[in-house]
Amino acid sequence: DISQPRGGPMTSGHASHQIGLDADIWMLPPSSLNLSRQQRENLSSVSVVSRNGLGLSSAWNQGHFLIMRAAARDPRVERILVDPVAKVAMCQMETGDRSWLRKVRPINAHDYHFHVRLSCPAGSICRTQDPPPAGDGCAEAQEWINNRANPSRAPATPADPDYRHPRTYRMSELPQQCNIVAS
């Protein structure tokens, strides 16, 4: 799932993908790079997290670690979002320089894919995100898993039924020029 060519609303409502700097990458390693159109349409990813959400599934392998580490080390990448179980696994697998782990942030519903946010291109009007908190973020990811295991530990935050993500736009709210591009 990649952003629209020039950003803008996604028909799926994918708010974070509306500025043209985001991509979701499946956890399913390719079995072939020469798939037919029909094969591509019938393909689905796999979860790297066990059914109970507390550990890794058999789908996890070192390739997942290596590709996310390579992406996080790339200066053009601002963030990687992945399920906390995968983040903790990467924390345990890293035996050398851990600085790249700071870019990898835990988030729920990212067990079938990981999300990559690219840095703003030089000269663009885009605004970079605030830097992630100091440290490697491994304890934070473990806390997410602990809260899954014992939901009563998690801080209570009531859902706002009127909440709308600040980067969620409706076509009617965009400048007229955007309607021309999106049509």
Side-chain angles (χ1 to χ4, degrees):
D1 187 5
I2 299 177
S3 305
Q4 300 290 350
R6 293 180 189 98
M10 302 279 287
T11 55
S12 65
H14 231 135
S16 64
H17 290 245
Q18 293 183 7
I19 64 170
L21 298 173
D22 299 273
D24 287 343
I25 301 171
W26 276 2
M27 295 292 194
L28 179 69
S31 58
S32 169
L33 298 179
N34 298 317
L35 299 175
S36 70
R37 182 181 191 96
Q38 184 64 35
Q39 288 171 314
R40 286 191 310 268
E41 291 299 321
N42 292 325
L43 196 60
S44 187
S45 190
V46 296
S47 176
V48 296
V49 176
S50 63
R51 287 189 188 271
N52 69 5
L54 303 178
L56 294 171
S57 76
S58 61
W60 176 264
N61 64 56
Q62 188 175 13
H64 295 103
F65 168 80
L66 294 173
I67 196 165
M68 282 188 263
R69 181 175 69 181
R73 287 178 169 171
D74 189 317
R76 298 170 295 184
V77 172
E78 194 169 282
R79 291 271 198 297
I80 295 175
L81 305 176
V82 70
D83 191 273
V85 169
K87 164 79 179 196
V88 167
M90 290 185 286
C91 292
Q92 293 168 348
M93 294 172 80
E94 181 55 68
T95 59
D97 176 17
R98 302 174 68 78
S99 61
W100 63 272
L101 286 164
R102 182 176 182 215
K103 283 187 185 179
V104 180
R105 308 309 301 170
I107 191 165
N108 289 321
H110 283 68
D111 56 318
Y112 285 83
H113 71 281
F114 62 97
H115 178 107
V116 177
R117 160 59 65 86
L118 299 175
S119 301
C120 292
S124 75
I125 61 169
C126 131
R127 194 176 68 98
T128 59
Q129 294 179 318
D130 291 334
D136 60 18
C138 296
E140 176 191 2
Q142 184 59 57
E143 188 65 22
W144 283 56
I145 298 169
N146 295 346
N147 290 340
R148 278 184 188 170
N150 185 358
S152 63
R153 290 174 27 109
T157 53
D160 177 358
D162 299 320
Y163 174 77
R164 189 165 149 205
H165 193 282
R167 290 190 313 260
T168 303
Y169 305 105
R170 294 184 179 104
M171 290 300 290
S172 61
E173 297 169 334
L174 296 173
Q176 183 59 36
Q177 297 93 324
C178 295
N179 286 323
I180 295 166
V181 172
S183 301

